[in-house]
C-alpha cells in the first residue's frame, strides 16, 4: 500500500498579488516535494486555496470604495493564474468565501462550543465614535505594550512579532480616521487554548525531527504559557458566528483559514464525485499531514491549529511542518508596503517560469533567510541551467543529429567509464529522493545539477568525436549512454524544472509522458536503439545583462524609500 500523504501550502491571502517571498517560503518547496511524491507513486493530495476573510481585505475594500468580494475575486483569480503559469499544480485550489467553507467552519466552531472548549466573555474594546464601529485588528494602531514601538497593529506588532489583542495597545488610534477611540463593552468567544498546553507540548516532544525554527518558536510560546484566544471579531466580512445573539460577529480569520485545508479537500472529493473520500486523509491516523508554510505562520500551524484539531477530536494532526525562513530582495527585507518586492506576474512578463523555480529551490531559505539577487539569478541561469544542463543536452543531441541520423545510436560493449556514469544515475536518483524526503530542496537541486555536471565530464573525457574517426561503434556507445542519462534527467528534473523536463522528454521522443515515469525506475530507463529523436531546441536561454539591469532599475524606481 502506498503511503497516504496530504500536503497543504499556506493559503495565500487574497489582498494582493503573489510575490517571490510567497514562492520561496511555501509554494515552490511544496510543489517540488509533491511532484517528487507523485513520481514515486505515493497516494498524495495537494491542497491549497485563497484565504479571503479578515480585516486587511475590508480595509483595502474601504480604501478602494468597492466590496470585499470584489477584492478577493480579483486576487483569487490573479493568484490562481500565477500558480498555473509557474507549474504549481494543486489537486484543488479553493477559496474560503465559498458557502461550503463557511458551513464546515461553523460546524467545527459549534463542535468545540458544545464540548465546552469555547467560552463567552464580555470585554471592553476600542470603538470609534466617528466611524461608528468597533476597531478590531488592523483597524487600530498604537504603541506595542512589549517593545513600545509606535504603529503596532491591533493583531500583531511587526517590530517584535508579538501576537496582540487590540485592547493591549497603548495610545491607540483609529486607523481609518485617526481619532482617539473609546472603549465599549462587546462580547466575544474565546478558544480555551490554555487547556491544550500540556497535550501540545507532549505532542511536539514526539517530533524531534522537526525543523529547529518550529521547535524553538513553539518552545518560546510554551514557556510564556498559552492563554485563551478570542476567535471572533466585530466586522461584517467573514463567517457569521453560528450562535444566537451573535449578530454582527464573525469568526477570526486565523480561526477559519486553516479549516480551509479541510474544506478544500472536501471540495476536491466532491469534484471527483466521491464526496466521502476526504475522510481517507483527514480522518485517517495513517495519513502524513504536511503543512508547508513560511516562518511567520508557525504559531498558527504548530500551536493554535493543532489545538483546534485536538479539541475537535476526529482529525489527524500535522506530521511535519517544514517552515521556511524569509526571502530578502537585493539584500533588504521584502516589504509589500514599501513595494520592495518582485511580483510573480511581472516576473513572468519577462522570463520563463523554470529558471525562477530552479533559483528559488537552489537558493531556498531553509535554515536561514536567503537573498534574491537579480545578478545571482542571472548567473545561476546562465552558468548552471544553460551552460551545464542545457549544454549537455544541446551538444550531445547536435552530435547525434550530425553523425547518427538523429536516431538513438546502438550500444556496444560498456567500458568501466560507461558503467560508472550509469551507476551515478542510480546513486543520484537515490540521493535526490532522500534529500526531498527530508525537505532539503536546496540540497536536492544541487544534486540534480551535479548529475548534469557528471554527464558533461563524461562527454569531455570520453571524447566521442575522436572515437568517431577510429572506432565509430565506441562513439555510438558513448552517445547511447549519454542519452540514457538525459532520459533520467528529464524525469529527475520534473520537481524543479517541469516545463524543461517535458521539453527534454519530447526532444528525446521518449514514449509516454515524463511525468508518468516512476522515480525508482529512473536508473532502468532505456531509450530503444534506432528510435528517432524529436526536434532539438534550446532548453535554457541565457539571460543578458540589459534584462537584469532593467529589473533592478524597476525595483529601485517603484520602491517607496523608507
Ligand atoms: Zn512590539
Ligand atoms: Zn474612526
Amino acid at each position: 500500500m502506498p503511503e497516504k500523504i496530504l500536503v497543504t501550502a499556506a493559503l495565500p491571502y487574497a489582498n494582493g498579488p503573489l510575490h517571490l517571498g510567497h514562492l520561496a517560503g511555501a509554494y515552490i518547496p511544496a510543489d517540488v516535494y509533491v511532484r517528487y511524491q507523485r513520481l514515486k507513486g505515493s497516494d498524495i493530495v495537494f491542497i491549497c486555496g485563497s484565504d479571503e476573510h479578515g480585516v486587511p481585505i475590508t480595509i483595502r475594500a474601504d480604501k478602494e470604495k468597492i466590496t470585499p468580494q470584489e477584492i478577493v475575486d480579483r486576487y483569487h483569480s490573479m493568484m490562481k493564474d500565477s500558480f498555473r503559469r509557474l507549474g504549481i499544480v494543486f489537486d484543488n485550489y479553493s477559496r474560503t468565501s465559498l458557502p461550503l467553507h463557511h458551513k464546515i467552519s461553523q460546524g467545527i466552531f459549534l463542535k468545540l462550543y458544545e464540548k465546552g472548549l469555547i467560552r463567552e466573555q464580555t470585554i471592553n474594546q476600542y470603538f470609534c465614535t466617528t466611524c461608528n464601529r468597533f476597531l478590531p485588528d488592523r483597524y487600530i494602531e498604537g504603541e506595542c505594550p512589549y517593545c513600545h514601538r509606535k504603529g503596532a497593529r491591533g493583531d500583531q506588532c511587526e517590530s517584535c512579532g508579538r501576537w496582540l489583542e487590540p485592547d493591549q495597545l497603548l495610545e491607540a488610534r483609529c486607523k481609518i480616521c485617526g481619532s482617539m477611540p473609546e472603549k465599549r463593552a462587546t462580547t466575544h468567544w474565546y478558544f480555551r487554548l490554555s487547556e491544550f498546553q500540556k497535550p501540545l507540548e507532549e505532542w511536539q516532544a514526539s517530533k524531534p525531527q522537526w525543523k529547529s525554527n518550529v521547535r524553538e518558536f513553539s518552545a518560546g510560546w510554551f514557556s510564556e504559557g498559552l492563554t485563551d484566544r478570542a476567535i471572533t471579531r466585530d466586522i461584517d466580512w467573514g463567517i457569521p458566528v453560528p450562535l444566537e445573539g451573535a449578530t454582527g460577529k464573525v469568526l477570526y480569520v486565523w480561526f477559519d483559514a486553516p479549516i480551509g485545508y479541510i474544506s478544500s479537500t472536501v471540495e476536491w472529493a466532491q469534484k471527483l464525485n466521491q464526496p466521502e473520500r476526504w475522510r481517507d486523509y483527514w480522518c485517517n491516523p495513517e495519513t502524513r499531514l504536511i503543512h508547508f508554510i513560511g516562518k511567520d505562520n508557525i504559531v498558527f500551524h504548530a500551536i493554535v491549529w493543532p489545538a483546534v484539531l485536538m479539541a475537535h477530536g476526529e482529525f489527524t494532526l500535522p506530521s511535519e511542518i517544514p517552515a521556511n525562513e524569509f526571502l530578502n530582495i537585493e539584500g533588504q527585507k521584502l516589504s509589500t508596503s514599501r513595494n520592495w518586492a518582485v511580483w510573480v506576474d511581472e516576473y513572468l512578463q519577462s522570463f520563463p517560469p523554470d529558471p525562477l523555480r530552479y533559483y528559488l529551490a537552489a537558493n531556498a531559505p531553509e535554515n536561514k533567510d536567503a537573498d534574491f539577487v537579480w545578478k545571482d539569478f542571472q548567473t545561476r541561469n546562465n552558468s548552471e541551467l544553460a551552460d551545464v544542463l542545457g549544454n549537455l543536452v544541446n551538444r550531445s543531441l547536435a552530435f547525434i543529429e550530425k553523425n547518427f541520423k538523429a536516431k538513438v545510436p546502438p550500444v556496444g560493449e560498456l567500458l568501466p567509464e560507461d558503467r560508472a556514469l550509469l551507476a551515478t544515475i542510480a546513486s543520484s536518483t537515490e540521493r535526490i529522493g532522500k534529500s526531498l524526503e527530508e525537505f532539503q530542496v536546496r540540497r536536492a537541486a544541487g544534486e540534480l545539477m551535479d548529475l548534469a555536471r557528471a554527464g558533461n565530464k563524461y562527454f569531455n573525457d570520453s571524447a566521442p568525436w575522436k572515437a568517431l574517426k577510429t572506432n565509430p561503434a565506441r562513439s555510438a556507445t558513448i552517445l547511447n549512454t549519454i542519452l540514457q542519462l538525459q532520459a533520467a534527467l528529464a524525469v529527475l528534473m520534473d520537481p524543479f524544472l517541469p516545463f524543461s523536463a517535458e521539453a527534454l522528454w519530447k526532444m528525446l521522443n521518449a514514449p509516454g509522458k515524463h511525468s508518468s515515469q516512476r522515480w525508482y525506475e529512473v536508473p532502468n530507463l532505456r531509450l530503444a536503439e534506432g528510435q528517432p529523436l524529436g526536434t532539438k531546441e534550446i532548453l535554457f536561454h541565457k539571460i543578458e545583462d540589459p534584462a537584469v539591469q532593467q529589473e533592478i532599475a524597476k525595483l529601485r524606481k517603484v520602491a517607496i524609500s523608507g
Side-chain angles (χ1 to χ4, degrees):
M1 281 293 279
E3 209 178 6
K4 267 194 195 308
I5 308 175
L6 182 67
V7 172
T8 72
L11 305 190
Y13 197 56
N15 79 331
L18 288 176
H19 56 65
L20 266 45
H22 294 124
L23 295 187
Y27 306 107
I28 294 293
D31 190 65
V32 167
Y33 181 79
V34 168
R35 282 176 175 274
Y36 159 71
Q37 291 289 353
R38 284 182 184 139
L39 286 166
K40 234 180 93 183
S42 298
D43 177 354
I44 187 164
V45 185
F46 187 19
I47 289 298
C48 196
S50 303
D51 176 6
E52 304 191 329
H53 296 134
V55 165
I57 285 166
T58 58
I59 288 183
R60 184 180 275 263
D62 290 349
K63 218 193 261 169
E64 296 189 22
K65 302 203 186 331
I66 56 176
T67 63
Q69 189 66 52
E70 286 170 287
I71 295 285
V72 301
D73 286 350
R74 180 201 299 163
Y75 292 115
H76 171 74
S77 56
M78 268 181 86
M79 294 192 296
K80 203 174 165 181
D81 185 56
S82 292
F83 285 131
R84 184 186 56 76
R85 293 172 64 201
L86 285 164
I88 293 173
V89 182
F90 302 112
D91 288 294
N92 195 52
Y93 189 78
S94 191
R95 47 196 310 197
T96 61
S97 61
L98 294 183
L100 174 72
H101 173 73
H102 281 216
K103 202 178 126 218
I104 290 171
S105 300
Q106 289 175 330
I108 290 175
F109 176 93
L110 282 176
K111 172 116 186 195
L112 269 49
Y113 182 79
E114 281 152 14
K115 285 178 134 182
L117 295 169
I118 290 176
R119 63 177 172 81
E120 197 177 306
Q121 190 180 333
T122 298
I123 54 164
N124 284 320
Q125 195 143 44
Y126 287 116
F127 185 94
C128 177
T129 48
T130 316
C131 299
N132 192 34
R133 59 174 303 161
F134 279 103
L135 301 175
D137 303 340
R138 299 184 187 191
Y139 275 105
I140 194 146
E141 280 183 357
E143 186 184 312
C144 171
Y146 297 101
C147 72
H148 296 281
R149 276 285 284 268
K150 311 271 182 206
R153 307 179 316 220
D155 57 345
Q156 195 184 26
C157 171
E158 276 200 311
S159 168
C160 70
R162 300 278 185 144
W163 187 10
L164 303 176
E165 297 291 343
D167 66 332
Q168 290 180 286
L169 287 176
L170 313 169
E171 304 282 325
R173 298 273 172 191
C174 171
K175 164 101 177 162
I176 305 297
C177 70
S179 54
M180 184 117 70
E182 60 178 50
K183 286 213 172 169
R184 282 199 188 173
T186 180
T187 299
H188 282 293
W189 283 267
Y190 283 67
F191 174 51
R192 294 184 189 272
L193 184 62
S194 58
E195 293 191 11
F196 291 88
Q197 170 136 4
K198 198 158 174 276
L200 283 169
E201 282 189 271
E202 284 170 5
W203 169 67
Q204 283 209 11
S206 73
K207 309 284 183 191
Q209 82 282 13
W210 277 13
K211 288 181 73 169
S212 60
N213 57 357
V214 177
R215 283 185 289 112
E216 283 161 19
F217 194 88
S218 302
W221 277 71
F222 293 141
S223 73
E224 271 187 29
L226 300 182
T227 54
D228 296 350
R229 292 285 165 173
I231 53 167
T232 58
R233 290 291 187 268
D234 288 294
I235 52 171
D236 52 12
W237 175 247
I239 301 172
V241 175
L243 294 174
E244 295 240 4
T247 315
K249 317 267 180 189
V250 299
L251 300 181
Y252 178 39
V253 62
W254 264 112
F255 180 75
D256 90 75
I259 297 173
Y261 299 141
I262 297 179
S263 52
S264 183
T265 318
V266 173
E267 189 188 38
W268 164 80
Q270 288 181 350
K271 285 178 185 167
L272 289 178
N273 238 333
Q274 301 174 43
E276 294 303 308
R277 189 155 163 205
W278 67 276
R279 292 183 196 278
D280 288 356
Y281 298 88
W282 279 103
C283 308
N284 178 353
E286 299 295 307
T287 301
R288 282 178 63 205
L289 171 60
I290 305 173
H291 294 311
F292 281 87
I293 57 167
K295 71 172 163 191
D296 48 336
N297 287 345
I298 291 175
V299 59
F300 300 105
H301 286 81
I303 294 180
V304 185
W305 171 236
V308 168
L309 292 169
M310 284 176 181
H312 186 275
E314 287 167 28
F315 300 127
T316 191
L317 295 174
S319 329
E320 304 280 350
I321 306 176
N324 266 356
E325 300 290 303
F326 289 142
L327 183 75
N328 297 322
I329 303 290
E330 296 280 341
Q332 291 180 41
K333 200 171 169 347
L334 188 153
S335 161
T336 53
S337 56
R338 283 181 50 228
N339 213 351
W340 189 258
V342 178
W343 304 96
V344 172
D345 52 336
E346 289 185 5
Y347 167 90
L348 288 170
Q349 283 171 11
S350 309
F351 306 100
D354 274 357
L356 179 64
R357 289 183 61 114
Y358 174 73
Y359 180 61
L360 293 180
N363 186 33
E366 276 165 0
N367 301 315
K368 56 181 190 330
D369 291 353
D371 202 3
F372 179 90
V373 179
W374 276 108
K375 284 301 279 180
D376 190 30
F377 163 75
Q378 178 195 25
T379 303
R380 297 202 90 148
N381 177 79
N382 293 359
S383 68
E384 294 179 13
L385 292 179
D387 286 350
V388 177
L389 190 47
N391 188 37
L392 169 71
V393 171
N394 191 52
R395 62 179 176 157
S396 54
L397 293 190
F399 191 84
I400 294 169
E401 209 165 68
K402 188 161 168 241
N403 302 300
F404 295 97
K405 301 192 175 121
K407 287 181 183 165
V408 178
V411 61
E413 191 199 342
L414 293 180
L415 299 187
E417 54 265 40
D418 311 327
R419 290 186 202 286
L421 184 70
L422 296 174
T424 304
I425 297 175
S427 60
S428 292
T429 303
E430 204 173 308
R431 244 198 325 270
I432 298 168
K434 184 168 179 288
S435 294
L436 293 177
E437 298 283 354
E438 294 167 2
F439 308 106
Q440 302 282 345
V441 170
R442 189 180 181 126
R443 191 171 75 203
E447 287 159 344
L448 175 76
M449 199 47 68
D450 285 345
L451 178 59
R453 279 193 191 97
N456 276 317
K457 185 172 187 313
Y458 169 82
F459 194 85
N460 291 342
D461 293 352
S462 51
W465 54 92
K466 278 190 200 157
L468 190 67
K469 291 175 199 143
T470 53
N471 183 356
R474 174 65 198 144
S475 183
T477 299
I478 295 166
L479 269 304
N480 181 289
T481 309
I482 212 140
L483 278 181
Q484 310 309 348
L485 167 64
Q486 288 178 46
L489 279 170
V491 181
L492 301 179
M493 277 159 68
D494 177 77
F496 312 91
L497 301 154
F499 298 98
S500 315
E502 194 183 343
L504 175 55
W505 193 256
K506 255 197 203 143
M507 280 156 62
L508 298 173
N509 193 26
K513 285 161 89 175
H514 82 284
S515 55
S516 312
Q517 309 307 310
R518 283 287 165 258
W519 190 268
Y520 289 114
E521 291 298 318
V522 161
N524 305 323
L525 274 175
R526 291 291 177 270
L527 297 172
E529 282 176 26
Q531 174 210 295
L533 297 174
T535 313
K536 187 163 71 66
E537 49 176 283
I538 300 291
L539 213 46
F540 300 104
H541 290 274
K542 291 222 174 175
I543 294 171
E544 304 298 337
D545 289 343
V548 163
Q549 283 152 3
Q550 201 180 334
E551 296 302 325
I552 297 170
K554 197 155 78 186
L555 180 69
R556 298 206 180 276
K557 199 169 135 210
V558 297
I560 302 154
S561 52

